[in-house]
Amino acid sequence: MLRRTIPIIILSATGTMLVVAYFSPFTLSWGETVLDWFNILAAVAFVLGAGNLLAVNLEKVSSRKAGWAYAAITLLSFAAMFIFGIFKVGAVPNPSAPDVHLAGAYEGLPSAFGWMYEYVLSPLTATMFAMLAFYVASAAFRAFRAKNVEAILLLGTAFIILLGRTAAATLLTGWIPVDSAFAVLRLDNVTTAVTEHVSTAGMRAITIGIALGVAATSLRLLLGIDRSYLSKG
Amino acid sequence: MTTDEHNTAGGLRAQLARVSNLDRRWIFLAMGLAVGVPILLKLRFPEVPGPLAIATFNAIEAVPEGSRVLIAFDYDPASEGELQPMANAMLHHCASRKHKMVFIALWPLGKQMADETIKNVLLAFHPQYQYGTDYVQLGYKAGNESVIKMMTTNIPQAFPSDASGKTLSELPLVADLESVQQVELIITFSAGYPGAKEWVQYAKSSYPDDFVLVAGSTGVQANQLFPYYPKQMEGMLAAIKGAAEYEMLVTAKYPVTKDKERFEEGRRRMGPQLVAHLLMIGLILLGNVAMVAGRSRQSRGGQGAVR
């Protein structure tokens, strides 16, 4: 009973307080206090996340599940970054306290943490993102097929945007005078028109729909009708 | 149609249909060349500043010289390719306008991105900038949109100290900074959540007339942000094209004499982008031709079977 009632009371009270604080200057400081709690919880979530990462990957390694080597690499990387950060390995001495090692800056080069960021983490994340180009090209070749009217419309729009978002727009249709009656046919203008009148209009509709959904869901949560976040219905 | 012509057409259709099963490693190789060769050849094409880049440039120009500006680095190295060129150009633009800059990050690695930009642009091209009086690095804060919300009421509560541990009262630039309504301009380099959308929802929507909001966004996020432009975001740069156009405008008005390549990164990346886009179009067309050829072959085979 308490395991369900207390979370509902906390959620309803804090949610209501934040809503009231938005409209009433008298409760502004209450709202700030709630936000402070949220920020503390967000910081604690990092600790929970790290604990969960350790638990999941240790379990994978110990039971030799498929891909356990990746889990081992994750654990090693986590441990290395944790030790480099906590003990400030190779930290740059702080000018105001040069003799105190832990007063030094641990993030920049030549500290071990900074080195790992600069030469391991940064190139790896950039590489992961860059690889998208290859997979997108492969997926476009296999899946982007003009099978019906909707797909043809999508293809046409994709071609306009793909050309319009590069110098191809200028190279192909730049010869059409800007002040002529045919200026609407310039690819850059067509791209702008598609973006402003089609894409943005659709996005607005989606955004309004999401906002209404969020409002409805929030109300259900505040009133204790939706209890799915308690994990057991 | 003669038998020879029939056989030739059938053979072509068969070959085209086989293209459907093209090994994806060939596609990867083609994409690698489409991106790599223009980079090596330093291929460049003419760019014309579009309405979004012009609006962004004008929005920053309209802010009085020497204003206090809040700059949020809401991205990490994964989006550096798209967002770093616009971050470089915007910092140079703000420094050329003598704006005082307060840096924050809502992404864990955003602080590192800001540090790099401060070192490579702010201090390299504007060495007169002094920490504490001309710029301050508040660093990363966990909490996503709640940090933004708190910054609208109580910045010292959200950021009790700067990234190096100094209290805000020790830093003249932010000693009297209570809320984001006290800055004239907010710039966010946004790669997703939390980012520009949250700045609109939790800061700009509540205080629409107190500051100007400008965002630099990745291409995939741009569509989500277009509905907010121009009423809730006075300026917006979308993807590397936005960065390239904006670079042109900034360097035309505030030229640099050394290390010009720093502000040509966006334009340099547009060459590979054009060739990669053309390859994508070619691949899509090829895929569709192969599909049509395959269908035609199937239907002919089917007729044959009936006969």
Side-chain angles (χ1 to χ4, degrees), chain B residues 81-143:
Chain B
E82 275 187 290
L83 297 179
Q84 195 58 47
M86 54 181 87
N88 291 344
M90 272 200 196
L91 245 69
H92 174 57
H93 191 183
C94 288
S96 302
R97 299 276 304 156
K98 299 183 175 61
H99 292 327
K100 312 287 184 189
M101 296 173 231
V102 180
F103 298 95
I104 68 157
L106 298 178
W107 282 43
L109 293 178
K111 195 240 167 198
Q112 274 79 356
M113 310 313 301
D115 283 343
E116 269 183 34
T117 320
I118 290 168
K119 187 181 85 179
N120 296 331
V121 177
L122 191 62
L123 300 180
F125 291 89
H126 305 273
Q128 73 279 13
Y129 266 72
Q130 295 294 316
Y131 190 77
T133 51
D134 299 316
Y135 74 98
V136 164
Q137 167 65 286
L138 295 182
Y140 165 67
K141 181 79 179 179

Short mmCIF file of all heavy atoms in Angstrom, two decimals, chain B residues 81-143:
data_model
loop_
_atom_site.label_atom_id
_atom_site.label_comp_id
_atom_site.label_asym_id
_atom_site.label_seq_id
_atom_site.Cartn_x
_atom_site.Cartn_y
_atom_site.Cartn_z
N GLY B 81 31.30 17.62 -36.20
CA GLY B 81 31.45 17.89 -37.63
C GLY B 81 30.48 18.94 -38.12
O GLY B 81 30.81 19.80 -38.93
N GLU B 82 29.25 18.90 -37.62
CA GLU B 82 28.23 19.85 -38.06
C GLU B 82 28.24 21.14 -37.25
O GLU B 82 28.05 22.22 -37.80
CB GLU B 82 26.83 19.21 -37.94
CG GLU B 82 26.43 18.38 -39.11
CD GLU B 82 25.00 17.91 -39.00
OE1 GLU B 82 24.71 17.07 -38.12
OE2 GLU B 82 24.17 18.38 -39.77
N LEU B 83 28.41 21.00 -35.92
CA LEU B 83 28.19 22.16 -35.06
C LEU B 83 29.45 22.98 -34.76
O LEU B 83 29.34 24.17 -34.44
CB LEU B 83 27.54 21.71 -33.74
CG LEU B 83 26.15 21.08 -33.89
CD1 LEU B 83 25.60 20.66 -32.54
CD2 LEU B 83 25.18 22.06 -34.53
N GLN B 84 30.62 22.36 -34.85
CA GLN B 84 31.83 23.12 -34.48
C GLN B 84 32.08 24.31 -35.41
O GLN B 84 32.42 25.40 -34.93
CB GLN B 84 33.05 22.18 -34.45
CG GLN B 84 34.26 22.79 -33.74
CD GLN B 84 33.98 23.18 -32.30
OE1 GLN B 84 33.40 22.42 -31.55
NE2 GLN B 84 34.35 24.40 -31.94
N PRO B 85 31.90 24.16 -36.75
CA PRO B 85 32.13 25.33 -37.61
C PRO B 85 31.23 26.52 -37.24
O PRO B 85 31.68 27.66 -37.25
CB PRO B 85 31.79 24.81 -39.01
CG PRO B 85 32.05 23.35 -38.93
CD PRO B 85 31.63 22.95 -37.55
N MET B 86 29.95 26.23 -36.88
CA MET B 86 29.09 27.37 -36.52
C MET B 86 29.46 27.93 -35.15
O MET B 86 29.36 29.14 -34.93
CB MET B 86 27.61 27.04 -36.64
CG MET B 86 27.11 25.85 -35.92
SD MET B 86 25.33 25.59 -36.19
CE MET B 86 25.27 24.63 -37.69
N ALA B 87 29.93 27.05 -34.25
CA ALA B 87 30.38 27.54 -32.93
C ALA B 87 31.59 28.45 -33.10
O ALA B 87 31.66 29.52 -32.48
CB ALA B 87 30.72 26.35 -32.03
N ASN B 88 32.53 28.04 -33.96
CA ASN B 88 33.72 28.87 -34.21
C ASN B 88 33.31 30.25 -34.74
O ASN B 88 33.76 31.27 -34.24
CB ASN B 88 34.63 28.20 -35.25
CG ASN B 88 35.29 26.95 -34.71
OD1 ASN B 88 35.31 26.73 -33.50
ND2 ASN B 88 35.81 26.13 -35.60
N ALA B 89 32.44 30.22 -35.77
CA ALA B 89 32.05 31.49 -36.40
C ALA B 89 31.26 32.38 -35.44
O ALA B 89 31.45 33.60 -35.41
CB ALA B 89 31.23 31.20 -37.66
N MET B 90 30.38 31.77 -34.63
CA MET B 90 29.56 32.58 -33.72
C MET B 90 30.40 33.19 -32.60
O MET B 90 30.15 34.31 -32.18
CB MET B 90 28.43 31.74 -33.14
CG MET B 90 27.21 31.75 -34.02
SD MET B 90 25.74 31.29 -33.14
CE MET B 90 24.67 30.94 -34.51
N LEU B 91 31.38 32.44 -32.10
CA LEU B 91 32.24 33.00 -31.05
C LEU B 91 33.04 34.18 -31.61
O LEU B 91 33.22 35.20 -30.94
CB LEU B 91 33.17 31.93 -30.48
CG LEU B 91 32.89 31.60 -29.02
CD1 LEU B 91 31.56 30.89 -28.87
CD2 LEU B 91 33.99 30.76 -28.42
N HIS B 92 33.52 34.00 -32.84
CA HIS B 92 34.27 35.10 -33.48
C HIS B 92 33.35 36.30 -33.69
O HIS B 92 33.76 37.44 -33.45
CB HIS B 92 34.85 34.61 -34.81
CG HIS B 92 35.50 35.69 -35.61
ND1 HIS B 92 36.54 36.46 -35.11
CD2 HIS B 92 35.27 36.15 -36.88
CE1 HIS B 92 36.91 37.34 -36.03
NE2 HIS B 92 36.14 37.18 -37.11
N HIS B 93 32.12 36.03 -34.10
CA HIS B 93 31.15 37.11 -34.31
C HIS B 93 30.88 37.85 -33.00
O HIS B 93 30.93 39.08 -32.94
CB HIS B 93 29.86 36.50 -34.87
CG HIS B 93 28.88 37.53 -35.39
ND1 HIS B 93 27.65 37.19 -35.88
CD2 HIS B 93 28.94 38.88 -35.47
CE1 HIS B 93 27.02 38.29 -36.25
NE2 HIS B 93 27.78 39.31 -36.01
N CYS B 94 30.61 37.08 -31.94
CA CYS B 94 30.30 37.69 -30.63
C CYS B 94 31.50 38.48 -30.11
O CYS B 94 31.34 39.59 -29.59
CB CYS B 94 29.91 36.62 -29.62
SG CYS B 94 28.29 35.92 -29.94
N ALA B 95 32.70 37.91 -30.26
CA ALA B 95 33.90 38.60 -29.76
C ALA B 95 34.16 39.86 -30.58
O ALA B 95 34.59 40.88 -30.03
CB ALA B 95 35.09 37.67 -29.82
N SER B 96 33.88 39.80 -31.89
CA SER B 96 34.07 40.98 -32.73
C SER B 96 33.10 42.09 -32.33
O SER B 96 33.38 43.27 -32.52
CB SER B 96 33.86 40.63 -34.20
OG SER B 96 34.74 39.61 -34.59
N ARG B 97 31.96 41.67 -31.77
CA ARG B 97 30.96 42.65 -31.28
C ARG B 97 31.23 43.02 -29.81
O ARG B 97 30.41 43.65 -29.17
CB ARG B 97 29.55 42.06 -31.38
CG ARG B 97 29.11 41.69 -32.78
CD ARG B 97 28.55 42.84 -33.57
NE ARG B 97 27.45 43.49 -32.90
CZ ARG B 97 27.08 44.75 -33.11
NH1 ARG B 97 27.76 45.49 -33.94
NH2 ARG B 97 26.06 45.28 -32.45
N LYS B 98 32.37 42.51 -29.29
CA LYS B 98 32.82 42.81 -27.91
C LYS B 98 31.82 42.31 -26.86
O LYS B 98 31.72 42.89 -25.77
CB LYS B 98 33.08 44.30 -27.73
CG LYS B 98 34.17 44.85 -28.64
CD LYS B 98 34.44 46.31 -28.35
CE LYS B 98 35.59 46.86 -29.15
NZ LYS B 98 35.41 46.80 -30.62
N HIS B 99 31.06 41.27 -27.19
CA HIS B 99 30.12 40.74 -26.21
C HIS B 99 30.87 40.02 -25.09
O HIS B 99 31.94 39.45 -25.30
CB HIS B 99 29.17 39.74 -26.87
CG HIS B 99 28.22 40.36 -27.84
ND1 HIS B 99 27.71 41.62 -27.69
CD2 HIS B 99 27.68 39.88 -29.01
CE1 HIS B 99 26.91 41.90 -28.69
NE2 HIS B 99 26.88 40.87 -29.52
N LYS B 100 30.28 40.05 -23.89
CA LYS B 100 30.83 39.31 -22.74
C LYS B 100 30.12 37.96 -22.72
O LYS B 100 28.89 37.91 -22.82
CB LYS B 100 30.53 40.05 -21.43
CG LYS B 100 30.85 41.54 -21.46
CD LYS B 100 32.32 41.78 -21.44
CE LYS B 100 32.60 43.30 -21.38
NZ LYS B 100 34.02 43.59 -21.56
N MET B 101 30.88 36.89 -22.59
CA MET B 101 30.29 35.56 -22.80
C MET B 101 30.30 34.68 -21.55
O MET B 101 31.33 34.58 -20.89
CB MET B 101 31.02 34.84 -23.93
CG MET B 101 30.86 35.55 -25.25
SD MET B 101 31.90 34.80 -26.51
CE MET B 101 32.72 36.24 -27.16
N VAL B 102 29.14 34.08 -21.29
CA VAL B 102 29.02 33.11 -20.19
C VAL B 102 28.74 31.76 -20.83
O VAL B 102 27.76 31.60 -21.56
CB VAL B 102 27.86 33.50 -19.25
CG1 VAL B 102 27.74 32.49 -18.11
CG2 VAL B 102 28.03 34.91 -18.71
N PHE B 103 29.62 30.78 -20.58
CA PHE B 103 29.49 29.47 -21.21
C PHE B 103 28.91 28.45 -20.23
O PHE B 103 29.31 28.41 -19.07
CB PHE B 103 30.86 28.97 -21.69
CG PHE B 103 31.48 29.84 -22.74
CD1 PHE B 103 32.39 30.83 -22.38
CD2 PHE B 103 31.16 29.69 -24.07
CE1 PHE B 103 32.95 31.65 -23.34
CE2 PHE B 103 31.72 30.50 -25.04
CZ PHE B 103 32.63 31.50 -24.67
N ILE B 104 27.97 27.66 -20.73
CA ILE B 104 27.45 26.54 -19.93
C ILE B 104 27.31 25.33 -20.87
O ILE B 104 27.44 25.46 -22.09
CB ILE B 104 26.09 26.84 -19.27
CG1 ILE B 104 24.97 26.96 -20.32
CG2 ILE B 104 26.13 28.06 -18.39
CD1 ILE B 104 23.60 26.70 -19.76
N ALA B 105 27.03 24.18 -20.27
CA ALA B 105 26.79 22.96 -21.08
C ALA B 105 25.72 22.13 -20.41
O ALA B 105 25.76 21.91 -19.20
CB ALA B 105 28.08 22.16 -21.21
N LEU B 106 24.75 21.69 -21.20
CA LEU B 106 23.71 20.78 -20.68
C LEU B 106 24.02 19.34 -21.08
O LEU B 106 23.30 18.43 -20.72
CB LEU B 106 22.33 21.18 -21.20
CG LEU B 106 21.83 22.57 -20.79
CD1 LEU B 106 20.48 22.87 -21.43
CD2 LEU B 106 21.74 22.70 -19.29
N TRP B 107 25.07 19.18 -21.89
CA TRP B 107 25.53 17.83 -22.26
C TRP B 107 26.84 17.57 -21.52
O TRP B 107 27.68 18.48 -21.42
CB TRP B 107 25.77 17.74 -23.78
CG TRP B 107 24.51 17.59 -24.58
CD1 TRP B 107 23.34 18.27 -24.39
CD2 TRP B 107 24.30 16.71 -25.69
NE1 TRP B 107 22.41 17.88 -25.32
CE2 TRP B 107 22.97 16.92 -26.13
CE3 TRP B 107 25.08 15.80 -26.35
CZ2 TRP B 107 22.42 16.24 -27.20
CZ3 TRP B 107 24.54 15.10 -27.43
CH2 TRP B 107 23.22 15.32 -27.84
N PRO B 108 27.04 16.34 -21.03
CA PRO B 108 28.25 16.07 -20.24
C PRO B 108 29.55 16.46 -20.93
O PRO B 108 30.46 16.96 -20.29
CB PRO B 108 28.19 14.56 -20.00
CG PRO B 108 26.75 14.23 -20.08
CD PRO B 108 26.16 15.16 -21.09
N LEU B 109 29.63 16.26 -22.25
CA LEU B 109 30.88 16.59 -22.94
C LEU B 109 30.85 17.99 -23.57
O LEU B 109 31.79 18.38 -24.26
CB LEU B 109 31.20 15.54 -24.01
CG LEU B 109 31.53 14.15 -23.46
CD1 LEU B 109 31.79 13.16 -24.58
CD2 LEU B 109 32.75 14.21 -22.55
N GLY B 110 29.77 18.71 -23.33
CA GLY B 110 29.65 20.07 -23.87
C GLY B 110 30.71 21.00 -23.33
O GLY B 110 31.20 21.89 -24.04
N LYS B 111 31.08 20.77 -22.07
CA LYS B 111 32.09 21.66 -21.46
C LYS B 111 33.42 21.56 -22.20
O LYS B 111 34.10 22.56 -22.44
CB LYS B 111 32.26 21.27 -19.98
CG LYS B 111 32.99 22.30 -19.17
CD LYS B 111 34.25 21.74 -18.57
CE LYS B 111 35.12 22.83 -18.02
NZ LYS B 111 36.48 22.40 -17.81
N GLN B 112 33.77 20.32 -22.59
CA GLN B 112 35.02 20.13 -23.33
C GLN B 112 34.95 20.82 -24.70
O GLN B 112 35.93 21.39 -25.18
CB GLN B 112 35.32 18.64 -23.53
CG GLN B 112 36.06 18.00 -22.38
CD GLN B 112 35.16 17.65 -21.21
OE1 GLN B 112 33.98 17.94 -21.21
NE2 GLN B 112 35.74 17.02 -20.20
N MET B 113 33.76 20.75 -25.33
CA MET B 113 33.61 21.41 -26.63
C MET B 113 33.77 22.92 -26.47
O MET B 113 34.40 23.59 -27.30
CB MET B 113 32.23 21.12 -27.25
CG MET B 113 31.79 19.66 -27.30
SD MET B 113 32.98 18.49 -27.92
CE MET B 113 33.31 19.09 -29.52
N ALA B 114 33.20 23.46 -25.38
CA ALA B 114 33.31 24.89 -25.13
C ALA B 114 34.77 25.27 -24.84
O ALA B 114 35.26 26.28 -25.38
CB ALA B 114 32.43 25.28 -23.95
N ASP B 115 35.45 24.45 -24.04
CA ASP B 115 36.86 24.74 -23.72
C ASP B 115 37.71 24.82 -24.98
O ASP B 115 38.55 25.72 -25.13
CB ASP B 115 37.43 23.64 -22.80
CG ASP B 115 36.96 23.81 -21.36
OD1 ASP B 115 36.50 24.92 -21.02
OD2 ASP B 115 37.05 22.84 -20.59
N GLU B 116 37.48 23.86 -25.87
CA GLU B 116 38.25 23.84 -27.12
C GLU B 116 37.98 25.09 -27.96
O GLU B 116 38.91 25.67 -28.53
CB GLU B 116 37.84 22.62 -27.96
CG GLU B 116 38.70 21.40 -27.68
CD GLU B 116 38.32 20.23 -28.56
OE1 GLU B 116 37.93 20.44 -29.73
OE2 GLU B 116 38.39 19.12 -28.05
N THR B 117 36.71 25.48 -28.01
CA THR B 117 36.34 26.65 -28.83
C THR B 117 36.90 27.92 -28.21
O THR B 117 37.35 28.83 -28.93
CB THR B 117 34.81 26.75 -28.97
OG1 THR B 117 34.27 25.44 -29.17
CG2 THR B 117 34.41 27.63 -30.13
N ILE B 118 36.89 27.99 -26.88
CA ILE B 118 37.46 29.17 -26.20
C ILE B 118 38.95 29.27 -26.54
O ILE B 118 39.46 30.34 -26.88
CB ILE B 118 37.25 29.06 -24.66
CG1 ILE B 118 35.77 29.22 -24.32
CG2 ILE B 118 38.09 30.09 -23.92
CD1 ILE B 118 35.41 28.85 -22.89
N LYS B 119 39.63 28.12 -26.47
CA LYS B 119 41.08 28.12 -26.72
C LYS B 119 41.39 28.44 -28.19
O LYS B 119 42.23 29.28 -28.49
CB LYS B 119 41.65 26.74 -26.36
CG LYS B 119 43.17 26.68 -26.41
CD LYS B 119 43.69 25.31 -26.07
CE LYS B 119 43.67 24.42 -27.29
NZ LYS B 119 44.16 23.06 -27.09
N ASN B 120 40.66 27.76 -29.10
CA ASN B 120 41.01 27.87 -30.53
C ASN B 120 40.46 29.11 -31.22
O ASN B 120 40.97 29.49 -32.28
CB ASN B 120 40.50 26.63 -31.29
CG ASN B 120 41.19 25.37 -30.83
OD1 ASN B 120 42.33 25.42 -30.38
ND2 ASN B 120 40.50 24.25 -30.91
N VAL B 121 39.41 29.69 -30.67
CA VAL B 121 38.81 30.85 -31.34
C VAL B 121 38.90 32.11 -30.48
O VAL B 121 39.53 33.10 -30.87
CB VAL B 121 37.33 30.58 -31.71
CG1 VAL B 121 36.70 31.82 -32.34
CG2 VAL B 121 37.24 29.40 -32.67
N LEU B 122 38.29 32.03 -29.29
CA LEU B 122 38.19 33.25 -28.47
C LEU B 122 39.59 33.77 -28.10
O LEU B 122 39.90 34.94 -28.34
CB LEU B 122 37.38 32.94 -27.21
CG LEU B 122 36.96 34.17 -26.39
CD1 LEU B 122 36.07 35.07 -27.21
CD2 LEU B 122 36.26 33.76 -25.11
N LEU B 123 40.42 32.91 -27.51
CA LEU B 123 41.72 33.38 -27.05
C LEU B 123 42.74 33.49 -28.19
O LEU B 123 43.66 34.29 -28.12
CB LEU B 123 42.25 32.46 -25.95
CG LEU B 123 41.33 32.37 -24.72
CD1 LEU B 123 41.90 31.45 -23.67
CD2 LEU B 123 41.08 33.76 -24.12
N ALA B 124 42.54 32.69 -29.24
CA ALA B 124 43.49 32.74 -30.37
C ALA B 124 43.28 33.98 -31.24
O ALA B 124 44.24 34.58 -31.72
CB ALA B 124 43.34 31.48 -31.21
N PHE B 125 42.01 34.37 -31.44
CA PHE B 125 41.74 35.51 -32.32
C PHE B 125 41.42 36.79 -31.56
O PHE B 125 41.44 37.87 -32.13
CB PHE B 125 40.58 35.17 -33.27
CG PHE B 125 40.93 34.12 -34.28
CD1 PHE B 125 40.76 32.78 -34.00
CD2 PHE B 125 41.49 34.47 -35.50
CE1 PHE B 125 41.11 31.80 -34.93
CE2 PHE B 125 41.83 33.51 -36.44
CZ PHE B 125 41.65 32.17 -36.15
N HIS B 126 41.09 36.64 -30.28
CA HIS B 126 40.74 37.82 -29.47
C HIS B 126 41.47 37.71 -28.12
O HIS B 126 40.84 37.53 -27.08
CB HIS B 126 39.22 37.90 -29.27
CG HIS B 126 38.46 37.89 -30.57
ND1 HIS B 126 38.19 39.04 -31.28
CD2 HIS B 126 37.96 36.86 -31.30
CE1 HIS B 126 37.54 38.72 -32.40
NE2 HIS B 126 37.40 37.40 -32.43
N PRO B 127 42.80 37.81 -28.14
CA PRO B 127 43.58 37.56 -26.91
C PRO B 127 43.31 38.57 -25.79
O PRO B 127 43.73 38.34 -24.65
CB PRO B 127 45.03 37.65 -27.40
CG PRO B 127 44.98 38.37 -28.70
CD PRO B 127 43.65 38.11 -29.30
N GLN B 128 42.62 39.65 -26.13
CA GLN B 128 42.34 40.64 -25.08
C GLN B 128 41.28 40.16 -24.08
O GLN B 128 41.10 40.76 -23.03
CB GLN B 128 41.89 41.98 -25.72
CG GLN B 128 40.50 42.01 -26.31
CD GLN B 128 40.42 41.41 -27.72
OE1 GLN B 128 41.34 40.75 -28.18
NE2 GLN B 128 39.30 41.64 -28.40
N TYR B 129 40.59 39.05 -24.40
CA TYR B 129 39.53 38.55 -23.51
C TYR B 129 40.14 37.99 -22.23
O TYR B 129 41.03 37.15 -22.28
CB TYR B 129 38.69 37.48 -24.23
CG TYR B 129 37.47 38.08 -24.89
CD1 TYR B 129 37.59 38.87 -26.03
CD2 TYR B 129 36.20 37.90 -24.35
CE1 TYR B 129 36.49 39.45 -26.62
CE2 TYR B 129 35.09 38.48 -24.94
CZ TYR B 129 35.24 39.25 -26.07
OH TYR B 129 34.13 39.84 -26.64
N GLN B 130 39.64 38.49 -21.09
CA GLN B 130 40.14 38.09 -19.77
C GLN B 130 39.09 37.26 -19.04
O GLN B 130 37.90 37.61 -19.05
CB GLN B 130 40.44 39.33 -18.92
CG GLN B 130 41.58 40.19 -19.45
CD GLN B 130 42.93 39.48 -19.38
OE1 GLN B 130 43.26 38.85 -18.38
NE2 GLN B 130 43.70 39.55 -20.47
N TYR B 131 39.55 36.17 -18.42
CA TYR B 131 38.61 35.32 -17.68
C TYR B 131 38.06 36.08 -16.47
O TYR B 131 38.79 36.75 -15.75
CB TYR B 131 39.29 34.03 -17.20
CG TYR B 131 38.28 33.05 -16.65
CD1 TYR B 131 37.49 32.31 -17.52
CD2 TYR B 131 38.06 32.93 -15.28
CE1 TYR B 131 36.52 31.45 -17.03
CE2 TYR B 131 37.10 32.06 -14.79
CZ TYR B 131 36.33 31.33 -15.67
OH TYR B 131 35.36 30.49 -15.20
N GLY B 132 36.77 35.94 -16.26
CA GLY B 132 36.12 36.57 -15.11
C GLY B 132 35.46 37.88 -15.44
O GLY B 132 34.38 38.19 -14.94
N THR B 133 36.10 38.67 -16.32
CA THR B 133 35.50 39.96 -16.68
C THR B 133 34.90 39.93 -18.09
O THR B 133 33.87 40.57 -18.34
CB THR B 133 36.57 41.09 -16.65
OG1 THR B 133 37.70 40.65 -17.42
CG2 THR B 133 36.99 41.40 -15.23
N ASP B 134 35.53 39.19 -19.01
CA ASP B 134 35.02 39.14 -20.40
C ASP B 134 34.33 37.82 -20.73
O ASP B 134 33.48 37.77 -21.61
CB ASP B 134 36.18 39.35 -21.38
CG ASP B 134 36.83 40.70 -21.18
OD1 ASP B 134 36.09 41.69 -21.02
OD2 ASP B 134 38.07 40.77 -21.16
N TYR B 135 34.76 36.76 -20.06
CA TYR B 135 34.10 35.47 -20.28
C TYR B 135 34.23 34.61 -19.03
O TYR B 135 35.17 34.79 -18.23
CB TYR B 135 34.66 34.73 -21.51
CG TYR B 135 36.02 34.12 -21.32
CD1 TYR B 135 36.16 32.77 -21.03
CD2 TYR B 135 37.17 34.88 -21.45
CE1 TYR B 135 37.41 32.19 -20.86
CE2 TYR B 135 38.43 34.31 -21.28
CZ TYR B 135 38.54 32.97 -20.99
OH TYR B 135 39.77 32.41 -20.82
N VAL B 136 33.26 33.72 -18.87
CA VAL B 136 33.23 32.82 -17.71
C VAL B 136 32.75 31.45 -18.18
O VAL B 136 31.83 31.36 -19.01
CB VAL B 136 32.28 33.36 -16.61
CG1 VAL B 136 31.94 32.29 -15.60
CG2 VAL B 136 32.90 34.56 -15.90
N GLN B 137 33.40 30.41 -17.69
CA GLN B 137 33.00 29.04 -18.04
C GLN B 137 32.31 28.42 -16.81
O GLN B 137 32.97 28.11 -15.82
CB GLN B 137 34.25 28.24 -18.44
CG GLN B 137 34.08 26.74 -18.55
CD GLN B 137 33.14 26.28 -19.64
OE1 GLN B 137 31.91 26.41 -19.51
NE2 GLN B 137 33.69 25.75 -20.70
N LEU B 138 30.98 28.27 -16.88
CA LEU B 138 30.26 27.69 -15.74
C LEU B 138 30.25 26.16 -15.79
O LEU B 138 29.93 25.51 -14.81
CB LEU B 138 28.81 28.20 -15.70
CG LEU B 138 28.65 29.71 -15.45
CD1 LEU B 138 27.17 30.09 -15.38
CD2 LEU B 138 29.34 30.15 -14.18
N GLY B 139 30.54 25.60 -16.94
CA GLY B 139 30.67 24.14 -17.06
C GLY B 139 29.35 23.41 -17.23
O GLY B 139 28.32 24.01 -17.55
N TYR B 140 29.42 22.11 -16.99
CA TYR B 140 28.26 21.22 -17.21
C TYR B 140 27.41 21.12 -15.95
O TYR B 140 27.93 21.09 -14.84
CB TYR B 140 28.76 19.83 -17.60
CG TYR B 140 27.70 18.75 -17.49
CD1 TYR B 140 26.59 18.75 -18.33
CD2 TYR B 140 27.80 17.74 -16.53
CE1 TYR B 140 25.62 17.78 -18.22
CE2 TYR B 140 26.84 16.75 -16.42
CZ TYR B 140 25.75 16.78 -17.27
OH TYR B 140 24.78 15.82 -17.17
N LYS B 141 26.12 21.03 -16.14
CA LYS B 141 25.19 20.82 -15.03
C LYS B 141 24.18 19.75 -15.43
O LYS B 141 23.53 19.87 -16.47
CB LYS B 141 24.47 22.14 -14.71
CG LYS B 141 23.51 22.04 -13.56
CD LYS B 141 24.26 22.09 -12.25
CE LYS B 141 23.31 22.03 -11.07
NZ LYS B 141 24.03 22.06 -9.80
N ALA B 142 24.06 18.72 -14.62
CA ALA B 142 23.06 17.67 -14.88
C ALA B 142 21.67 18.19 -14.54
O ALA B 142 21.51 19.02 -13.66
CB ALA B 142 23.38 16.45 -14.04
N GLY B 143 20.67 17.70 -15.24
CA GLY B 143 19.29 18.09 -14.94
C GLY B 143 18.48 18.50 -16.14
O GLY B 143 17.29 18.78 -16.03
#
